[in-house]
Each structure stands twice: as C-alpha cells, then as structure tokens.
Amino acid sequence: MTSSVSLGGVPILNETDLALTDALQLNPRVSWTALSEVLELSPVTLARRWQALVRARTAWTCITLEGPSFRGAIIEVACKPGTAVDVAAAFSALPHVATVGITVGEYDLFALVVSPTVDAISAVLLDGLPITPDVTRVRSHVYTGMLGGGRWRHGVLNRAQCEQVRSDLGPPPKELRPLSVDDRALYVALGRDGRRSYTEVAQDLGTSPQVVKRRLDRLQRRGEVAFRCDVARPLAGWHAMAMLWLTAPDAEVGGIGRAIGEWRETRFCAPVVGRTNLCVIVSLRSVEQLEEIVLRLAAEYPQVTIAERRLVLRQVKVHGRLVDEHGRSTEVIPVDPWGMLAGRA
C-alpha cells in the first residue's frame, strides 16, 4: 500500500508505515516473523515494506548509549548573520556530536554531544568543537544521563500489541563492568544500521556471530546500550520542534524530568548543570502546539519555571543522521562517543 498524500511532493508515512515503525520503535530488532502476527501481514511483506522505507531514507535504526555510560553536553552557538547553516554543518560532521538543530533567538543552533566519561566531555568542550571566526558565542551545559525522549514512539499500537512486540532481555548480569574496547567496536559497528545481523557484524569485527550475540545481549541487559528506530519526522506529522530550558526544585528534578520524558512530544529530556537544571526538546504537530506544551507544564508543574523557550527552525542531524528539510536521511555519520579519547592516556 502506497500513500497518495504528500508533503512538498514527498509521500508521507501511511498507516502501515506508522504501525511498522511504531513496532520497531518499541523493539528495533524484532524479527519479521514475530511481528507478522501482531500487524497481520506476512514476514515477506513486512521486510519488503521496511526496505522500501530505508531506500526512501524515511526510516532507519541505530544503537544508542544508555544508563551510566550515557552522558554528554548540550552546546548552544551564536553565529555571525548568514553563517548558521555552515556552522551547523561543521558541528554535524563530528562523530561525537549526535544531533544538531538550527534555532531562533539568542543562539542560532544547538548540538547534543554524547560522551561516556567526564574526561571525554572535557576533551570535547576544550578541544573538540569547530570554533571558527563565524562563531561569536558558545554556551555549554553538561548532562549526566537522559530522563526520557531518546526512544520515542508514534503510539499507534494498542496495549496488547505492545506486549507482543516487547522483548524480554532477562535479568541484568550480577557483575557490572566498564565498556571494553570490544564493546565499543560493537557499538560503532551497529551505528549505521541497528538491524544488522550477528553474522554481518561478526565479519566486520573478526569474530563469530555467537560472540556478537552474547556480548550484545549482555550490554542490553546491563542497560548500557539500546536500539532506536527513527523516521523522517515531518513525514510522520511532526512539523515543528522547540527547546525549553526549565528550572525545577532541585529535589524534584528527577521525578519531573522522568514524567515529562514520557510525554509523546518529548525527544530529549536531561538534567543539566547551569542556571537552569532541566533541558527539554519536543516535537510539535505545529508551531501553535508549543503554547499547549507551555500551558500543560504550568498546569501539571506549577513549581517549574520556563527560563527560555526557542523554536527549532530545522533539524540538521538526528542521532548520527544528516537529514534534509523533509527529515529524510541524506548521510550517516555513526555516533562515536569515544572518538575524542583516542590516543589519550
């Protein structure tokens, strides 16, 4: 089934696309056979439809850091007039910069840096940013984990379908240990395509599919990594985006952040160190929906102050994917949180 509705001549995601990608947002590595019963389509049809989305560059999967290994910084950059697009491109080229957007207001763009350690964050902030003469001012905020939004969903599947799609990773291992060099190589190998088979990844890493599966299962059970499925957001009905800087009572930051992180609109929510203590990025159906978000915040959390609100004019990079004005992937720069630590003692 092909959608007859388009956005600027580009077909939007139809009901089948939305259901398929919603299932993959819930469990990005689910097999087509397991998904067949849930969506009532044959495995061949599902595989063919997914490949069509991938070829059209409107949907993709990748791997992300989570838990104690997931931290980084939010960088805001002010530029000389007319240079924001070029500066955003320079930031987007860096593998340790996961996401970039062009904004309105005091700063012209934001960049989300992913780092596994405080040393890595320091390396990025001190030596790893493309500070050119076009950059007039930089503001940075360190975060030590996300409270939600990283693996958002359309919310198309009902509760019963969700239960069928979810994977059971089993209990976490008793022994927790830092990510090894082999773990990092595995992460980078899955950055371009989170659905790559164990055999394909094993060939890249010079090991066996059994070793890859065992290592990946362990990392997922430990909560160190997770997979995500993303789509061209404008083609899925999300036509705008905004960034909010909030100040919440210190004792309530975690609880409030986790609750906001569950909102359907939330794409990034993290506690930060600075004048404000919570950063939230939301996708919107329209620019007007921002007012609804603001009113909801005031109603549900009157103790929270909105220090700044900024519209995102355009996303340039989405967790390792350069995207066009319709949100379609144009190039992959796999996220490498350890890149700035290479060669350091």
Side-chain angles (χ1 to χ4, degrees):
M1 174 176 169
T2 302
S3 172
S4 59
V5 183
S6 66
L7 176 67
V10 179
I12 67 170
L13 300 182
N14 60 34
E15 291 183 5
T16 301
D17 299 331
L18 291 174
L20 173 56
T21 51
D22 191 37
L24 291 177
Q25 287 172 331
L26 190 61
N27 184 357
R29 287 182 64 86
V30 65
S31 71
W32 302 130
T33 300
L35 198 55
S36 174
E37 183 177 348
V38 179
L39 299 184
E40 299 181 347
L41 293 169
S42 72
V44 172
T45 298
L46 291 173
R48 184 168 59 240
R49 188 60 216 157
W50 174 248
Q51 287 305 314
L53 291 172
V54 172
R55 285 195 301 271
R57 302 176 285 116
T58 56
W60 55 88
T61 59
C62 63
I63 194 170
T64 68
L65 284 182
E66 288 212 337
S69 296
F70 189 57
R71 63 195 73 197
I74 306 163
I75 312 297
E76 296 182 286
V77 181
C79 314
K80 292 181 180 178
T83 65
V85 172
D86 290 337
V87 174
F91 273 80
S92 297
L94 303 176
H96 50 274
V97 173
T99 298
V100 177
I102 297 176
T103 62
V104 297
E106 183 180 359
Y107 291 90
D108 299 291
L109 64 94
F110 76 90
L112 301 183
V113 171
V114 180
S115 302
T117 65
V118 174
D119 284 345
I121 297 173
S122 299
V124 170
L125 297 182
L126 296 176
D127 305 311
L129 300 177
I131 306 302
T132 68
D134 290 330
V135 174
T136 60
R137 188 168 68 259
V138 176
R139 182 170 74 171
S140 58
H141 311 258
V142 173
Y143 64 88
T144 55
M146 282 181 63
L147 297 176
R151 288 182 287 156
W152 64 281
R153 290 184 49 226
H154 301 304
V156 174
L157 302 186
N158 60 39
R159 182 176 298 180
Q161 290 173 313
C162 289
E163 290 302 318
Q164 288 179 276
V165 173
R166 282 193 180 94
S167 62
D168 182 10
L169 298 174
K174 295 180 180 179
E175 181 185 359
L176 298 180
R177 60 188 183 191
L179 294 181
S180 67
V181 173
D182 290 337
D183 294 334
R184 298 174 189 179
L186 176 58
Y187 179 93
V188 174
L190 287 161
R192 290 183 177 274
D193 180 3
R195 288 187 62 84
R196 294 185 73 195
S197 70
Y198 299 124
T199 299
E200 290 177 307
V201 176
Q203 290 174 345
D204 280 0
L205 302 182
T207 186
S208 70
Q210 294 77 17
V211 169
V212 170
K213 182 180 186 306
R214 184 167 61 249
R215 187 179 301 150
L216 189 57
D217 287 348
R218 186 186 71 247
L219 291 174
Q220 288 184 277
R221 291 200 314 275
R222 283 164 45 181
E224 298 276 9
V225 304
F227 291 92
R228 63 181 273 171
C229 171
D230 217 329
V231 300
R233 298 177 191 181
L235 303 181
W238 301 101
H239 301 292
M241 179 172 278
M243 170 180 272
L244 303 172
W245 293 96
L246 311 179
T247 302
D250 290 335
E252 300 180 52
V253 170
I256 291 173
R258 281 186 288 273
I260 294 174
E262 293 294 325
W263 291 5
R264 175 180 284 192
E265 296 86 358
T266 302
R267 301 294 176 263
F268 177 88
C269 182
V272 295
V273 179
R275 183 169 59 87
T276 57
N277 56 15
L278 197 61
C279 178
V280 180
I281 300 175
V282 292
S283 282
L284 307 168
R285 296 296 186 184
S286 66
V287 172
E288 291 75 19
Q289 192 188 0
L290 178 57
E291 186 63 23
E292 297 176 17
I293 295 291
V294 169
L295 292 175
R296 182 178 178 185
L297 278 169
E300 296 186 17
Y301 306 104
Q303 69 274 44
V304 171
T305 300
I306 301 177
E308 294 182 52
R309 66 187 83 172
R310 257 199 318 281
L311 284 174
V312 178
L313 293 177
R314 180 183 163 190
Q315 281 193 286
V316 179
K317 188 179 186 182
V318 179
H319 201 80
R321 252 69 177 184
L322 302 186
V323 296
D324 65 14
E325 67 274 18
H326 297 296
R328 296 173 300 180
S329 173
T330 61
E331 184 181 343
V332 185
I333 303 176
V335 177
D336 183 359
W338 301 276
M340 282 301 298
L341 293 179
R344 289 174 174 258

